Amino acid sequence: ALACTLAFALVRLCACVGVHGMADAALAEAGVDLGGVTDWQEAAAISAAAGSPLMGLPQGLRVRPNGRSENFVGSGVASPDSGDKPKAKGLPLPSLRDIVTLAFFIVGSLLMLALQRATRADQTPALAPCKQCSQDWWDHFWEWRMNDSASERPATAPGGMEWEWDATTNHTDWFGVSAELVDTVIATYVDPAAGPVLHVGCGDSPMPELLYRAGFHSVEHIDIVPQVVSTMKARYPSDLWPGMNFSVRDFLGPTAHGGGPPPPLHRFAAVIDKAGIWDWLQDEASEHLPRLLESVREALMIQPQRGVYIIVTKQSPFQLSETLARARANFLVETSQALGQKGIAWCYVLEPL
């Protein structure tokens, strides 16, 4: 709005200059010089014959009611009655109304911009209603999933999701592609020596062990459900798995309440989001994807090299491209890869711009 206002005012202030320039060009092309003509009617006839767009009035000359003429300030044409020598031509000065109008619009636009910024700074939007945005939803899910009675566990995954789930396993592997993800993507695009890795929404996934065995010995695994974090701490004791850390944390929560990326900021070489926050936000509350991406950006290291955001989702490349455009993500898709044999899962490596 401010840019449009300034452009409008500048166009208005320069309009008269453009018109006079057209007149000068027409007269010069015809070889006509009105510098010595003092009678405005004679000048009008000469300029009209030369095709001047000012309809015959010399530049800066205006007619007074009593038939005499006087000059605009800076016009370069002397009044026939004044006896003054012609002054050098200059740009016509803007009127007082033009100056007041421009000042009014500039001040108003600046005030509106300041108000918008103050409003954004004071308001942290709450997540829109969605099932998987709720702490209670995940509490109930993991209570159901980790029930000690094997007979009460469902034999098949919920609709649209895949994982290994039977009596011989003790982990939930969304899409069943964790091993492939670590071997073909993470080990290729993330250097274990570059810095620690952040795994958001870890659940009771096999990812912690797979990452550790692949050489990633400094990894933060976070989840919002205390029960599942306690389970993972018991499964991987810190004395046997040094550098494998688990903590309860809401990655989308406000920093003041212990949420967001684990401090300090900008220290992770990669953020891994496997069938997690990205997937359920784009399903149920896509308007808050910018908030997720901002948290990811704050978590990723900036130097000596930029960290990467690794997503495993059911979105196809075309669907992901549309979602990133709507979210105005400012992330570059470095690579995309289909995972598994069923055509359900896709992996993307994103780098912040």
Side-chain angles (χ1 to χ4, degrees), residues 17-78:
V17 178
V19 174
H20 285 309
M22 293 170 62
D24 290 341
L27 293 175
E29 183 177 355
V32 177
D33 182 9
L34 296 179
V37 180
T38 58
D39 182 72
W40 73 269
Q41 291 179 327
E42 181 183 354
I46 295 173
S47 58
S52 169
L54 288 186
M55 299 304 293
L57 284 178
Q59 180 174 334
L61 194 64
R62 67 170 180 259
V63 179
R64 300 176 63 184
N66 61 2
R68 299 173 62 190
S69 59
E70 71 177 14
N71 301 304
F72 289 114
V73 176
S75 66
V77 179

Side-chain angles (χ1 to χ4, degrees), residues 172-220:
T172 303
D173 185 10
W174 301 102
F175 301 129
V177 295
S178 288
E180 183 182 357
L181 170 65
V182 173
D183 292 343
T184 65
V185 180
I186 297 176
T188 301
Y189 290 92
V190 185
D191 180 2
V197 171
L198 176 63
H199 180 200
V200 298
C202 64
D204 68 341
S205 162
M207 287 287 294
E209 183 172 341
L210 292 169
L211 286 168
Y212 199 89
R213 296 190 184 281
F216 294 90
H217 296 162
S218 179
V219 184
E220 299 278 344

Side-chain angles (χ1 to χ4, degrees), residues 7-350:
F8 169 79
L10 289 174
V11 168
R12 180 169 181 177
L13 287 174
C14 295
C16 56
V17 178
V19 174
H20 285 309
M22 293 170 62
D24 290 341
L27 293 175
E29 183 177 355
V32 177
D33 182 9
L34 296 179
V37 180
T38 58
D39 182 72
W40 73 269
Q41 291 179 327
E42 181 183 354
I46 295 173
S47 58
S52 169
L54 288 186
M55 299 304 293
L57 284 178
Q59 180 174 334
L61 194 64
R62 67 170 180 259
V63 179
R64 300 176 63 184
N66 61 2
R68 299 173 62 190
S69 59
E70 71 177 14
N71 301 304
F72 289 114
V73 176
S75 66
V77 179
S79 168
D81 299 325
S82 64
D84 295 335
K85 294 182 179 180
K87 300 179 181 179
K89 292 185 178 180
L91 293 177
L93 296 179
S95 68
L96 178 61
R97 183 178 66 178
D98 287 331
I99 296 175
V100 172
T101 301
L102 176 61
F104 174 79
F105 277 110
I106 290 176
V107 172
S109 299
L110 290 175
L111 289 175
M112 290 180 64
L113 182 60
L115 179 61
Q116 289 176 353
R117 289 185 175 179
T119 302
R120 290 174 183 172
D122 294 340
Q123 295 179 352
T124 301
L127 289 176
C130 71
K131 292 185 301 181
Q132 296 177 81
C133 300
S134 166
Q135 172 84 45
D136 290 341
W137 192 93
W138 288 106
D139 285 338
H140 293 152
F141 171 82
W142 286 111
E143 181 180 1
W144 165 70
R145 166 68 183 96
M146 306 178 78
N147 192 299
D148 290 335
S149 174
S151 62
E152 295 185 15
R153 295 179 185 174
T156 58
M161 303 302 290
E162 294 281 334
W163 62 73
E164 297 173 7
W165 194 337
D166 55 43
T168 64
T169 61
N170 65 349
H171 58 248
T172 303
D173 185 10
W174 301 102
F175 301 129
V177 295
S178 288
E180 183 182 357
L181 170 65
V182 173
D183 292 343
T184 65
V185 180
I186 297 176
T188 301
Y189 290 92
V190 185
D191 180 2
V197 171
L198 176 63
H199 180 200
V200 298
C202 64
D204 68 341
S205 162
M207 287 287 294
E209 183 172 341
L210 292 169
L211 286 168
Y212 199 89
R213 296 190 184 281
F216 294 90
H217 296 162
S218 179
V219 184
E220 299 278 344
H221 304 275
I222 63 174
D223 202 284
I224 62 173
V225 180
Q227 180 185 3
V228 76
V229 171
S230 298
T231 297
M232 297 301 278
K233 284 183 175 181
R235 186 178 297 172
Y236 301 103
S238 58
D239 57 335
L240 299 178
W241 304 85
M244 185 187 294
N245 302 306
F246 297 92
S247 60
V248 178
R249 195 172 189 90
D250 181 359
F251 192 63
L252 297 179
T255 305
H257 295 87
L265 301 182
H266 302 298
R267 67 185 177 97
F268 292 102
V271 173
I272 301 172
D273 184 358
K274 178 176 174 287
I277 303 176
W278 174 273
D279 243 14
W280 50 261
L281 265 188
Q282 62 91 16
D283 267 346
E284 300 189 53
S286 61
E287 64 273 22
H288 292 291
L289 284 173
R291 180 171 166 183
L292 166 63
L293 294 172
E294 182 60 29
S295 292
V296 170
R297 191 181 294 274
E298 291 177 348
L300 292 177
M301 62 192 308
I302 301 174
Q303 55 183 3
Q305 63 185 39
R306 287 187 176 274
V308 293
Y309 180 32
I310 300 177
I311 304 172
V312 178
T313 173
K314 56 183 175 290
Q315 281 194 306
S316 68
F318 176 75
Q319 291 170 328
L320 179 90
S321 177
E322 286 192 324
T323 303
L324 289 173
R326 288 196 301 269
R328 298 181 179 179
N330 288 325
F331 275 73
L332 173 69
V333 180
E334 188 171 337
T335 190
S336 59
Q337 178 177 323
L339 297 177
Q341 302 298 319
K342 299 184 179 180
I344 297 175
W346 281 85
C347 176
Y348 304 95
V349 178
L350 276 62

